[in-house]
Amino acid sequence: MKDFLPIIRSSTLFSGISAEELTAMLSCLDTKTESFLKDAFLLRAGDTAESIGLVLSGNVLIVQEDIWGNRNILSKAGPGQTFAAAYACAPGSVLNVSVLAETPVTAMFLNVKRVLNVCPSACAHHSRIIRNLLGELAEKNLRFGEKLTHMGQRTTRAKLMSYFSAEAQRLGTYEFDIPFSRQQLADYLAVERSGLSQELGKMRDEGLLSFRKSHFVLKR
């Protein structure tokens, strides 16, 4: 666990917590660490979540799949980011998404009851974690709203422009890396990969943007 303390401290969930306080709090929160191979499921649709997941290394995808195997990527989480927090905070709720290891992953799981209820020893910064958690849930909700806006566009080009515009505004720059491969971006925007690649090529030829793999430069 010591190797991951810098990652844990850098996370939004533990923002404002000192190194000394963090070590004591991890014990108080009944944390468990687990490693997963690439393509393994950390959680499956139909499971119930009693813990908040925090990625320590690697990346996970939060996906929805129908009975025919069609995949919709809802989001991606990397080191220092959480997953399944909303489900864990809603007792008894059943996941309608799965959490899949995009790469080999190490994740920490925090007992949600310990997170939401101040312990008898009344950790000085326990309330800060609760505030941090609320902030992170709000941020995820806003990002999901953005995704619905992208998907609500009528054409593949409009979906791409909506997504790139939102990323540029969020990051404050017209040059950025996106966290998705081509197939993942297609799954995220709910379009066919071939159509997405074709549209990106047209937008590049028209001088709207340039790109190399996952690095994009928007042009006005």
Side-chain angles (χ1 to χ4, degrees):
M1 179 65 74
K2 289 183 179 180
D3 293 340
F4 296 116
L5 288 179
I7 294 295
I8 298 172
R9 283 198 65 200
S10 70
S11 69
T12 299
L13 188 61
F14 288 96
S15 176
I17 307 297
S18 70
E20 295 76 15
E21 293 160 343
L22 179 60
T23 302
M25 293 192 74
L26 292 179
S27 175
C28 174
L29 296 174
D30 189 26
T31 59
K32 298 178 181 178
T33 303
E34 193 170 349
S35 295
F36 301 85
L37 297 176
K38 179 181 178 181
D39 295 328
F41 285 93
L42 284 71
L43 293 168
R44 290 180 179 270
D47 291 345
T48 56
E50 297 180 352
S51 299
I52 298 170
L54 179 69
V55 180
L56 300 179
S57 67
N59 296 295
V60 301
L61 297 172
I62 291 77
V63 302
Q64 280 184 325
E65 287 185 319
D66 61 25
I67 60 174
W68 294 280
N70 297 310
R71 176 176 293 180
N72 176 19
I73 294 179
L74 300 183
S75 61
K76 182 175 182 175
Q81 297 179 312
T82 61
F83 58 89
Y87 292 96
C89 291
S93 63
V94 176
L95 276 73
N96 66 345
V97 300
S98 296
V99 182
L100 178 70
E102 181 190 21
T103 63
V105 167
T106 299
M108 182 174 71
F109 295 89
L110 302 89
N111 187 313
V112 71
K113 293 181 179 179
R114 295 285 188 92
V115 173
L116 297 179
N117 295 287
V118 178
C119 62
S121 59
C123 298
H125 291 273
H126 199 123
S127 59
R128 182 182 293 274
I129 289 185
I130 296 175
R131 292 197 301 271
N132 290 345
L133 176 60
L134 288 173
E136 189 164 14
L137 289 174
E139 174 66 20
K140 288 178 182 289
N141 189 52
L142 292 173
R143 295 299 298 277
F144 184 67
E146 287 184 356
K147 173 180 165 60
L148 293 180
T149 297
H150 309 329
M151 292 180 63
Q153 306 303 311
R154 295 189 176 186
T155 65
T156 297
R157 174 172 291 204
K159 291 181 179 183
L160 284 166
M161 293 180 74
S162 176
Y163 173 68
F164 290 141
S165 179
E167 287 298 286
Q169 291 175 357
R170 183 174 66 86
L171 297 171
T173 177
Y174 293 118
E175 183 172 358
F176 49 81
D177 293 310
I178 67 172
F180 301 122
S181 66
R182 289 290 182 275
Q183 183 61 60
Q184 290 171 351
L185 181 59
D187 290 342
Y188 180 77
L189 296 175
V191 298
E192 293 292 335
R193 176 178 176 175
S194 58
L196 180 141
S197 296
Q198 184 178 31
E199 199 58 58
L200 283 174
K202 290 180 179 179
M203 293 171 71
R204 178 184 55 197
D205 294 343
E206 293 172 19
L208 294 175
L209 52 76
S210 62
F211 59 86
R212 177 177 173 78
K213 296 184 178 180
S214 295
H215 185 78
F216 288 82
V217 181
L218 308 188
K219 301 178 180 179
R220 301 175 64 187

